Amino acid sequence: MVKSYQRFEQASVFGVISTNANCVWMSPESKKSNSPGSVITSALENINIWDIKTGELISVLSDGLPAGSIDVKSSKPAEVSYLHYHDETNLLAAGYMDGTIKVWDLLSKSVLLTFNGHKSAITVMKFDVTGTRLISGSRDSNIIVWDLVSEVGLYKLRSHKDAISGIWCEGEDWLVSTSKDGLIKIWDLKVQQCIETHIAHTGECWAMGVHEDLLITSGADTQLKLWNLDFSKEAGSKLIEKGVYDKQSKQRGLDIKFSVAPNGTAFFYIQNADKTTEVFRIRREEEISKALKKREKRLKEKGMTDEEIQQNIKESYSSIIMHPFQVIKSQYKIKSVSFTTVSNTKLEFVVTTSSNSIEYYSIPYEKRDPTSPAPTRLYTIELPGHRTDIRSVDISDDDKLLATASNGLLKVWNLKTKACIRVFDCGYALTCKFLPGGTLVIVGTREGSLQLFDLASSTLLENKEDAHETAIWSLDITSDGRRLVTGSADKTIKFWNFQVEEDLVPGTADKYLPVMKLIHDTTMEVNEDVLSVRISPEDKFLAISLLDNTVKVFYLDSMKFFLSLYGHKLPVLSIDISFDSKLIITSSADKNIKIWGLDFGDCHKSLFAHQDSIMNVKFLPESHNFFSSSKDGLVKYWDGDKFECIQKLAAHQSEVWSIAITSDGTSVISASHDHSLRVWEETDDQVFLEEEREKELEEQYEDTLLASLEEGSGDDAFKGDAEKVEDESTSVRNQTMESLKAGERLMEALDLGMSEIEANEKYQIDMKAWEKKKSSGEPPIKPQGNAILIAMKKQPHEYIMETLVKIKPSQLEDALLVLPFSYVLKLLKFIDIVMKDKKMTKNYLMLICKNLFFVIRSNHKELISQRNEALKNQILNVKNSLRDSLQENVDDLGFNIQGLKFIKQQWNLKHNFDFTDDFDKKEESSGKKRIFGTLS
């Protein structure tokens, strides 16, 4: 009997407020609402929508199956890299690190479209004015224009040599782009060509902002460049450099955005790569002309000539057109900024920071200047997450509470609701543990102090600052909760007892309260720093790992030496002992897990488990199966008896510092450097090791297959870039597993359907021949229909058409590209058959045209070289039939348009009355003639 295991899947992820992508502001739906609005932030692979006033998580946009499930890849999901929102259509475009673009409908909270055209992370996106086209730029230096209506990539613009950093489009004709190659380009979208290229900055160009005819770019230095943009001028002079401005921050500007107040005053901000965002005000025209007149007068008084005055004004262009307004300074490094409210009296901004928090600032102003010296921070969202890495997690013995400790914060979460219920300030926590009962938490810090927190009263009961001289790397508690063992980098292991003592209430003489205290019992000195300590479940053994790569096992009661486990090449970072005290597992920085017998200290197995240091190992209760977490971002599930990996749980984007397991073994919580806490729950699905290995091999094969399709095979893969002559504009192609599978499904349908059609045709020919001879021989036997078609009650051509319809429009062209030429001929024959079915032609005319034109265009050389008269006649028949069908369609459309125009005319005649006053020049003094429309 093949052994099976229960599958663990990701049940939820929490603790993430915002990650690296930009944030998007959504105004409240009703103007009467008290809420200022909501902010959309990226949360690793998900998208969060937060109410800025209440700090509540309104909704989470998540696409795809949960990590760990049977059909999910064993690689980590792609992180969101850029967000762009279109107000009128309520569409949110999300770009991902793997180059995928998903268009979300925020009403239904579902993905409407998925585009695969880029090879690396999306860096910038922009909807056009109508919201029907999306322009995306990527780290692969390409710009793609997508049509959201027909769900296809229209064309790819390739001219930049580095990541795209800014995009701006004017109508449907013009596009301006900047890149980290330091260039700024103007594209004519009608001909899909670059018509102007300028060197924006000597180094990288990091951001671009456009307002009317003013364009601003920022480079890797402190300089901003101001340009005049005018598309009406001839090519070569559409973009003219006007001036340079030095900003306050010495760091590069990462983002530039404009916004206009109701009175017409324009503002823009520059988000820097530090803790500041500089806000500027664009001076109005009357203000500028007034200032210029004053300056001219002043310069003339100084005795300057007109030429010198003009030169002076030209050089000070940047200071004339704009002036610094205010600087937003955050406590943490700013990740992204967005305008929220821009009125005639105040500016408001929402800011996401690198410390996993959101801040909301307001700048009140009068006329031209702010009324306060610094922006007011109105709201913050920081409770549902940690500011720094979560270094330790632990679960209470009733499995209801979760404690997470980081540098400066200890948070306690309700595991059911995922809500943070307690927050305590602590030192730089390295380890934490619940005491039995689940109301007390003990924390060990890097400074060497022990802190005891009471959840019921939300107080710090005791702070032993001198518990150890240096960092407390690990601590453990006996099963009865009376004794604590701490291991530190000061080469000591200390034993502590928990005792309840009467403590005098401050301000009273005779009132005492019982308080839990930590009493130091004994100290054991060792030769090296202690990295991990672990007490066996029945309190018999104490295992400690030392910096000399060994693990020592002692008897807990007498502290006598029992075993020494040596074999690791680097220090052991974590230890765990099984429920029956028969096995001890150790994980090390040498990427290995060793499983030892606790009877004789023999090494049962050494497993090369991860690709980086293994931070934590934990046994499942009542089992020899265990979990491990590593700096490679993976959590793995192992069989401790068979020494095999059961499951790879890939969801974290970076190092997994710690894991905790519930007392019933049904849930595992992992904490990572990416600020996320993920809950992995046991499901009813079963894992078979053979199937998991096969799945891994399939994924490996799929990756190499896609790579070979992209790069070519044989000599093509080794050709240098210099040999490739690339056009500025090309079609959008990117083979994915979905498009390959769609192509395979189409081939299967063509095989099944066309063989059926050919068999019927042969039968018809044989039948006619038999009827003509009137011979006494047996008539030809009618071929038996395919079982699938009979079950579905469909004709062969209907079945093929249904398969075609099911292929997503965005994958259709890529699916047709993988068809071998023999299948192309079958597809052409199928189209010829469909054209004879008037009803089907009318229903699917657009799809037929799209397939036919693409197939002819991509296979025209092979088709021309064919000397097949039947094929030629077939294509001619299709051409004639298609022209007739298209003409019918055009006639119907024209008839309908004229009918609608007539109805509109009749409506206007009956319901619209024309009361226009008409003046006669001759009779202007005498009176007016009033013309009335038809009254009914």
Side-chain angles (χ1 to χ4, degrees), residues 59 257 302 334 385 407 412 585 697 866:
S59 61
K257 287 280 187 301
K302 285 183 179 179
I334 292 173
N407 178 8
V412 180
I585 47 172
L697 287 171
Q866 293 291 311

Side-chain angles (χ1 to χ4, degrees), residues 612-808:
D612 209 333
S613 302
I614 302 163
M615 302 306 297
N616 221 313
V617 281
K618 282 269 188 345
F619 272 113
L620 275 174
E622 306 300 316
S623 167
H624 283 175
N625 296 348
F626 62 91
F627 278 85
S628 65
S629 68
S630 163
K631 280 188 180 178
D632 63 6
L634 291 177
V635 176
K636 290 189 179 181
Y637 180 27
W638 301 86
D639 185 331
D641 293 323
K642 290 192 169 184
F643 318 122
E644 288 188 288
C645 179
I646 301 165
Q647 248 188 303
K648 286 181 187 173
L649 303 172
H652 287 289
Q653 300 291 338
S654 46
E655 300 97 321
V656 183
W657 294 121
S658 183
I659 51 175
I661 299 175
T662 54
S663 58
D664 57 3
T666 57
S667 296
V668 179
I669 286 95
S670 56
S672 167
H673 173 68
D674 61 18
H675 295 298
S676 70
L677 289 157
R678 294 179 192 263
V679 181
W680 307 90
E681 281 188 359
E682 192 177 78
T683 62
D684 295 331
D685 288 346
Q686 290 188 318
V687 177
F688 296 96
L689 297 181
E690 294 267 330
E691 287 180 8
E692 287 296 302
R693 299 297 91 81
E694 279 175 24
K695 188 180 149 191
E696 282 175 29
L697 287 171
E698 272 178 28
E699 283 176 19
Q700 206 174 339
Y701 167 69
E702 284 173 5
D703 292 341
T704 53
L705 175 68
L706 289 172
S708 67
L709 283 170
E710 288 297 323
E711 295 167 8
S713 56
D715 296 337
D716 295 340
F718 296 97
K719 283 182 181 174
D721 291 336
E723 292 179 34
K724 294 180 183 177
V725 180
E726 293 188 348
D727 297 326
E728 279 192 346
S729 175
T730 60
S731 55
V732 182
R733 297 276 170 273
N734 190 18
Q735 287 291 354
T736 60
M737 281 318 297
E738 287 79 13
S739 61
L740 286 175
K741 284 173 182 173
E744 284 175 7
R745 286 200 306 273
L746 182 56
M747 282 191 268
E748 284 171 15
L750 285 168
D751 275 336
L752 192 149
M754 293 314 292
S755 59
E756 196 78 2
I757 288 166
E758 282 164 9
N760 282 330
E761 281 178 357
K762 189 174 181 299
Y763 168 72
Q764 295 293 339
I765 292 164
D766 291 348
M767 194 70 188
K768 279 179 184 174
W770 180 79
E771 284 176 353
K772 208 172 191 180
K773 289 179 183 176
K774 297 284 183 186
S775 57
S776 57
E778 288 288 321
I781 301 165
K782 189 174 183 180
Q784 192 175 350
N786 188 290
I788 294 169
L789 297 177
I790 293 166
M792 293 173 76
K793 296 178 182 176
K794 289 199 183 305
Q795 293 296 321
H797 63 283
E798 289 175 345
Y799 176 71
I800 299 169
M801 183 57 79
E802 198 175 81
T803 308
L804 263 176
V805 169
K806 282 178 183 174
I807 299 172
K808 290 180 182 174

Side-chain angles (χ1 to χ4, degrees), residues 883-927:
R883 279 188 176 167
D884 293 343
S885 299
L886 287 169
Q887 190 58 50
E888 277 178 35
N889 224 14
V890 169
D891 292 344
D892 288 349
L893 198 63
F895 180 81
N896 291 337
I897 288 169
Q898 289 305 318
L900 288 168
K901 281 181 180 175
F902 178 74
I903 291 165
K904 184 185 176 186
Q905 188 183 2
Q906 291 300 311
W907 174 272
N908 287 338
L909 282 171
K910 292 203 172 191
H911 298 83
N912 290 354
F913 311 124
D914 194 356
F915 289 105
T916 311
D917 287 332
D918 188 25
F919 292 91
D920 192 339
K921 286 179 184 177
K922 292 177 185 176
E923 299 176 9
E924 196 170 355
S925 57
S926 59

Side-chain angles (χ1 to χ4, degrees), residues 295-478:
R295 180 168 285 202
E296 280 178 20
K297 190 180 177 183
R298 195 168 64 250
L299 293 174
K300 272 182 183 174
E301 285 170 2
K302 285 183 179 179
M304 283 190 179
T305 63
D306 288 347
E307 284 181 9
E308 286 173 334
I309 290 168
Q310 290 302 316
Q311 185 62 29
N312 183 286
I313 288 168
K314 196 177 179 182
E315 284 170 3
S316 56
Y317 174 82
S318 57
S319 60
I320 292 168
I321 201 164
M322 66 187 209
H323 74 99
F325 195 67
Q326 203 157 49
V327 178
I328 299 169
K329 284 187 179 175
S330 174
Q331 192 180 343
Y332 309 105
K333 189 178 175 183
I334 292 173
K335 280 287 179 189
S336 72
V337 185
S338 179
F339 276 109
T340 61
T341 305
V342 180
S343 71
N344 297 337
T345 56
K346 66 178 177 181
L347 297 178
E348 290 185 344
F349 302 85
V350 66
V351 172
T352 63
T353 70
S354 60
S355 68
N356 193 29
S357 64
I358 301 169
E359 298 171 348
Y360 191 87
Y361 290 93
S362 178
I363 304 175
Y365 70 96
E366 281 180 10
K367 293 181 181 176
R368 300 175 191 175
D369 297 304
T371 54
S372 60
T376 312
R377 192 170 71 177
L378 298 179
Y379 309 108
T380 55
I381 300 175
E382 55 185 18
L383 181 67
H386 280 267
R387 307 286 73 76
T388 50
D389 283 10
I390 301 164
R391 296 308 301 260
S392 179
V393 292
D394 194 42
I395 300 171
S396 61
D397 46 13
D398 60 359
D399 298 338
K400 288 182 179 177
L401 300 176
L402 171 74
T404 57
S406 67
N407 178 8
L409 285 179
L410 169 71
K411 285 180 182 269
V412 180
W413 309 76
N414 182 323
L415 258 183
K416 191 177 180 183
T417 62
K418 312 296 182 290
C420 181
I421 55 172
R422 292 283 186 280
V423 181
F424 299 97
D425 288 326
C426 63
Y428 193 130
L430 295 176
T431 177
C432 70
K433 197 94 177 164
F434 269 106
L435 270 64
T439 57
L440 298 172
V441 180
I442 184 90
V443 171
T445 70
R446 196 169 69 172
E447 296 79 30
S449 59
L450 276 173
Q451 297 176 327
L452 183 64
F453 295 94
D454 180 17
L455 306 188
S457 61
S458 298
T459 53
L460 172 65
L461 292 181
E462 188 162 16
N463 184 11
K464 286 256 182 215
E465 290 184 0
D466 55 350
H468 283 275
E469 290 173 19
T470 53
I472 299 172
W473 286 110
S474 182
L475 54 83
D476 203 3
I477 297 165
T478 54

